């Protein structure tokens, strides 16, 4: 059964690569590259949020965002060893996805207003006072540590499921899982990539052109 469309899979692994690259470029002081990669992640994240409303069944927030009661009930079944492979994100995993999307959004938004007190600053830093920019820069740094914690928890959960006989990595690579039931409806990923292109062009037009022209 196909449970993940190609956009969700490319988004997932691109997010992994981009976060690692953003971490490296920030540590090495390669701020032009850092901003360029951040703009790319911003376009991907914006597309993912829109795809969560109009995309394939398993990509939609309405598919995996459940009540806290259902999520707690699912976790209680985990403690009893009654795990099952859900079609898409399970109730507890849905909240992990929301948490990651929120933290990524916070990271990118605060980065727009940040400054390093030396040479570089976010494209919107001039719109706020120096003190506010400094405060948002601090949040930008601290939030990344929280984001790393969430990512570590996510990786631990994936390995936990693997030990219990449920492979979550393979479906995110191939799109398919050995499940029974009604197959979720898939939207063509071309729609998602068209949305991504429009968002990236808007970002390029307003913010990224100066940075990218500097690099190339």
């Amino acid at each position: 059964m196909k449970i993940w469309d190609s956009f969700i899979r490319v988004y997932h692994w691109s997010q992994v690569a981009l976060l690692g690259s953003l971490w490296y470029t920030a540590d090495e002081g390669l701020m032009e590259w850092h901003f360029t990669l951040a703009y790319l992640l911003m376009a991907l994240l914006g597309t993912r949020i829109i795809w969560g409303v109009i995309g394939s069944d398993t990509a939609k927030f309405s598919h995996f965002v459940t009540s806290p009661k259902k999520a707690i009930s699912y976790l209680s079944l985990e403690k009893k060893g009654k795990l099952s492979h859900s079609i898409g994100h399970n109730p507890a995993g849905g909240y992990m996805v929301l948490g990651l999307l929120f933290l990524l959004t916070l990271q990118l938004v605060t980065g727009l207003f940040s400054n390093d007190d030396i040479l570089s600053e976010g494209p919107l830093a001039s719109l706020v006072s120096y003190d506010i920019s400094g405060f948002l820069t601090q949040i930008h740094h601290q939030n990344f540590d929280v984001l790393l914690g969430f990512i570590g928890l996510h990786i631990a959960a994936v390995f936990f499921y693997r030990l219990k006989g449920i492979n979550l990595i393979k479906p995110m690579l191939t799109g398919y899982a050995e499940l029974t039931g009604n197959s979720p409806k898939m939207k063509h990923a071309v729609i998602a990539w068209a949305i991504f292109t429009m968002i990236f062009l808007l970002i390029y037009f307003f913010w990224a052109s100066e940075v990218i022209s500097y690099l190339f």
Side-chain angles (χ1 to χ4, degrees):
M1 178 190 299
K2 187 171 185 178
I3 61 173
W4 299 119
D5 61 56
S6 61
F7 170 75
I8 288 295
R9 287 180 281 131
V10 173
Y11 168 81
H12 181 275
W13 298 113
S14 296
Q15 182 176 263
V16 173
L18 285 170
L19 282 173
S21 299
L22 285 164
W23 190 358
Y24 174 80
T25 52
D27 280 350
E28 296 297 319
L30 304 172
M31 297 313 296
E32 291 82 11
W33 281 106
H34 186 76
F35 281 118
T36 300
L37 294 172
Y39 293 139
L40 181 57
L41 180 57
M42 187 179 298
L44 281 169
L45 179 62
T47 306
R48 176 63 185 94
I49 292 172
I50 294 173
W51 203 238
V53 178
I54 68 171
S56 303
D57 283 352
T58 48
K60 289 181 177 179
F61 298 122
S62 59
H63 179 84
F64 61 82
V65 178
T66 62
S67 66
K69 183 178 180 180
K70 286 185 178 180
I72 294 172
S73 177
Y74 180 83
L75 290 173
S76 67
L77 290 176
E78 283 188 349
K79 290 182 179 180
K80 298 176 182 178
K82 298 179 181 179
L83 291 175
S84 61
H85 196 158
S86 301
I87 299 176
H89 298 296
N90 62 56
Y95 280 94
M96 174 62 73
V97 172
L98 289 181
L100 287 171
L101 291 177
F102 171 78
L103 290 173
L104 281 172
T105 301
L106 181 61
Q107 190 69 13
L108 290 168
V109 171
T110 54
L112 293 174
F113 296 90
S114 65
N115 72 83
D116 64 358
D117 285 327
I118 304 174
L119 293 174
S120 61
E121 62 180 22
L124 302 183
S126 61
L127 300 180
V128 297
S129 68
Y130 178 80
D131 289 340
I132 293 177
S133 178
F135 174 69
L136 293 175
T137 301
Q138 185 178 11
I139 293 177
H140 187 69
H141 292 155
Q142 294 176 348
N143 182 68
F144 188 71
D145 293 333
V146 178
L147 184 58
L148 287 178
F150 262 71
I151 292 171
L153 182 60
H154 174 64
I155 294 172
V158 169
F159 279 104
F160 171 76
Y161 276 89
R162 190 68 187 93
L163 291 173
K164 297 296 182 179
I166 299 176
N167 191 336
L168 298 178
I169 297 177
K170 184 178 178 181
M172 193 54 73
L173 289 170
T174 66
Y176 291 87
E178 296 180 2
L179 297 169
T180 58
N182 296 324
S183 298
K185 294 179 181 178
M186 295 287 118
K187 291 285 182 68
H188 206 295
V190 170
I191 302 172
W193 290 117
I195 295 170
F196 165 79
T197 301
M198 288 188 289
I199 293 176
F200 185 76
L201 287 175
L202 286 172
I203 292 173
Y204 177 85
F205 179 77
F206 285 107
W207 297 324
S209 56
E210 182 178 347
V211 174
I212 293 175
S213 64
Y214 176 85
L215 290 172
F216 299 103

